[in-house]
Amino acid sequence: MLDKVPDDVLEVLIYFYQPLVEYRNTFGILRTAAPVDAMLVCRRWKQVIITNPRFWTDVFIQGDVDVDVTKLQLQRSGPCLPLRLWVTSGALTKTTALDAILPYAKRLSGLFLEPLPFTSAEDLQTTNRPPTFASQVKLTDVEKWIGMPLPNLRDLHLGGLTVNGQPPTIRISLPKLEKLSFGMTVPRFFFPESRLRHLGFINSLITMAKLSEYLTHCQETLETLNLDEVTVTDVDAPGEGLPDMVMPHLTEVVIRIPGGDGLAKLLLTNVHCPELRSLTFSASPGRRFGTWHHIPIGGLHLPNLDVLDFDGGIMPLEAFRDILESTASMGKLVMPWFSSEEQLSAAVDALVAWGGRAGNDTKSLIKLVAADLDAKDLVRIVKALPAVRILDVSRAFKKRKFAKESVEWRWLQEHVDNLVGFEG
């Protein structure tokens, strides 16, 4: 049937339905097209793929790469289309790889420097968190790659690298850089012309001073901030002197396993985010959250929050209360786990009280994800928050065994439109 399809239509079909190769790295899972597999279908498919540049814009340089193959792929990518380049740590020190890329540097829109092990389907099913890599490289090698003329680079990720050497601040000209992420010991880079919109630290080591510098640099432009499995080495040091700042465009923040009260103070008290819509704030699933002290009265205010996600971590009751009391409305709440039945009961009381507080917009909360709540607790919550239309109890059923024919579960089935995870 495809024999009669014109080449331009066949090109679109192949491009959108070709196999994807998945790599698990320190930033998550990267998916990229695999045109070589599609070329094996028949001669016509091979010719269509070879002659269309967009099949060749994702470039991988491994440690044992054949530079001639890389040059051929770059030639096939044509003269105009933006390129994304992944370079593994083994290739970072090879000047032949760098020389092959230099003529095309101005077309790079994405640059990812880190190990990229192939991820099988079995690995994706059994591994919940990305692994932490520690490949030794020199900071000067990293500087060579990001020091190329990169006037159109928008996305830069440095991950899985243990960098030797701590020179003074390195000024790099990346005028269009919008997304910067680290999965390593964070060096002191500075991008004076960049207007960063997305900033991420994943499996990273950083000092509070460096984190403050990065936030200060992009406070007028930042939209998303991701701190996932981050170790802040001096977070509880006395006399940190962290300045107050306003980030007017920050709409999404992810914080997992903060290193103590100092980081919570910086991100939730000193950094004011009037437009914050989504807050994920927790330990990683199954792990305990770090030290928590009460936020000063009036120091935490999230007036426009829409999603509050505690993401399955074990949270202190005080942290749950403080963050819950900081917002007057939300559309989705993902409950945390608690370390004891007493704390769980007190958390339910806090949520019910939040639903009855004058001035709170309880009608906006339409989705609740329950972590470790029994049917009686859920009935209390739904009665206090009658706008809830989606109640996800799948996590609760993994934790407990319930009598599904109880009065409470029948009541929930009658009063909640969508009871996710309940198979009565």
Side-chain angles (χ1 to χ4, degrees):
M1 183 175 68
L2 291 179
D3 292 343
K4 298 180 180 181
V5 173
D7 284 354
D8 56 343
V9 177
L10 181 61
E11 173 197 344
V12 174
L13 293 174
I14 297 173
Y15 185 80
F16 285 104
Y17 291 99
Q18 66 183 313
L20 296 178
V21 174
E22 295 183 332
Y23 295 89
R24 182 177 290 276
N25 70 340
T26 52
F27 193 59
I29 299 174
L30 299 173
R31 293 177 174 85
T32 183
V36 176
D37 292 339
M39 288 170 60
L40 300 177
V41 173
C42 65
R43 290 182 179 179
R44 186 184 177 209
W45 280 42
K46 181 179 179 179
Q47 184 63 27
V48 167
I49 292 171
I50 288 176
T51 56
N52 283 277
R54 65 172 171 171
F55 286 98
W56 305 99
T57 55
D58 286 348
V59 182
F60 287 82
I61 299 183
Q62 307 279 1
D64 56 352
V65 69
D66 186 331
V67 176
D68 291 334
V69 172
T70 301
K71 289 180 178 179
L72 178 60
Q73 178 175 355
L74 290 168
Q75 291 170 6
R76 288 177 176 174
S77 70
C80 302
L81 292 181
L83 300 172
R84 295 193 304 170
L85 173 65
W86 284 263
V87 186
T88 68
S89 56
L92 285 175
T93 59
K94 296 183 178 180
T95 57
T96 52
L98 182 61
D99 292 341
I101 291 296
L102 273 173
Y104 302 86
K106 293 182 179 180
R107 289 171 51 197
L108 288 178
S109 65
L111 178 59
F112 309 87
L113 307 181
E114 65 177 331
L116 286 171
F118 178 74
T119 302
S120 66
E122 292 76 13
D123 292 334
L124 292 174
Q125 293 174 358
T126 59
T127 308
N128 294 322
R129 305 291 301 170
T132 300
F133 302 99
S135 298
Q136 295 283 341
V137 297
K138 294 180 180 179
L139 193 56
T140 52
D141 292 325
V142 176
E143 187 183 359
K144 289 177 184 177
W145 284 90
I146 64 175
M148 293 187 293
L150 299 167
N152 295 302
L153 192 72
R154 297 181 182 276
D155 191 346
L156 173 63
H157 176 61
L158 306 173
L161 309 173
T162 299
V163 178
N164 294 325
Q166 292 293 333
T169 300
I170 299 174
R171 299 174 69 89
I172 303 293
S173 179
L174 299 174
K176 293 187 178 180
L177 189 66
E178 295 181 354
K179 183 175 182 180
L180 173 64
S181 55
F182 296 96
M184 57 188 290
T185 303
V186 179
R188 194 182 295 272
F189 288 131
F190 182 50
F191 310 97
E193 301 105 338
S194 304
R195 297 181 62 81
L196 292 177
R197 296 170 54 207
H198 311 281
L199 182 62
F201 302 90
I202 301 92
N203 291 336
S204 303
L205 291 173
I206 190 170
T207 64
M208 185 67 84
K210 287 181 183 177
L211 178 59
S212 181
E213 286 178 6
Y214 279 104
L215 293 180
T216 300
H217 172 65
C218 56
Q219 71 179 85
E220 295 295 332
T221 58
L222 198 66
E223 297 175 12
T224 62
L225 174 65
N226 189 342
L227 293 165
D228 193 349
E229 298 285 356
V230 173
T231 300
V232 183
T233 55
D234 60 349
V235 72
D236 289 316
E240 290 158 351
L242 297 170
D244 286 341
M245 65 181 76
V246 177
M247 307 195 86
H249 302 292
L250 189 63
T251 59
E252 180 180 352
V253 174
V254 175
I255 312 169
R256 291 190 180 92
I257 312 207
D261 200 39
L263 184 56
K265 178 183 176 183
L266 170 66
L267 294 170
L268 298 177
T269 307
N270 289 29
V271 179
H272 303 281
C273 312
E275 295 302 319
L276 190 66
R277 306 290 181 183
S278 176
L279 174 62
T280 300
F281 191 66
S282 75
S284 294
R287 297 180 64 178
R288 291 181 181 273
F289 189 83
T291 304
W292 182 268
H293 301 100
H294 279 298
I295 292 290
I297 295 176
L300 180 57
H301 186 49
L302 305 172
N304 294 306
L305 201 64
D306 182 54
V307 177
L308 179 55
D309 185 352
F310 290 101
D311 196 36
I314 302 174
M315 292 288 290
L317 174 63
E318 295 81 4
F320 177 74
R321 282 174 172 166
D322 284 349
I323 298 175
L324 186 65
E325 291 174 2
S326 70
T327 183
S329 67
M330 53 185 156
K332 175 183 176 181
L333 172 63
V334 180
M335 292 287 288
W337 302 92
F338 294 96
S339 58
S340 67
E341 291 292 334
E342 292 76 15
Q343 287 208 357
L344 176 61
S345 178
V348 173
D349 292 341
L351 185 54
V352 170
W354 182 87
R357 187 182 306 142
N360 283 356
D361 181 15
T362 59
K363 293 182 180 180
S364 63
L365 182 55
I366 60 173
K367 182 172 183 179
L368 176 68
V369 180
D372 191 15
L373 300 171
D374 62 23
K376 292 182 179 179
D377 290 333
L378 292 172
V379 169
R380 286 186 61 203
I381 292 172
V382 172
K383 286 182 176 180
L385 303 167
V388 171
R389 292 291 175 262
I390 304 172
L391 179 58
D392 188 337
V393 296
S394 54
R395 294 185 181 183
F397 268 90
K398 288 181 181 179
K399 179 74 173 180
R400 298 170 180 258
K401 292 183 178 180
F402 296 107
K404 296 182 180 180
E405 299 302 321
S406 67
V407 174
E408 291 82 5
W409 282 115
R410 288 200 298 270
W411 186 92
L412 288 169
Q413 287 179 284
E414 293 173 0
H415 290 82
V416 178
D417 292 345
N418 190 354
L419 202 57
V420 180
F422 179 84
E423 298 178 0

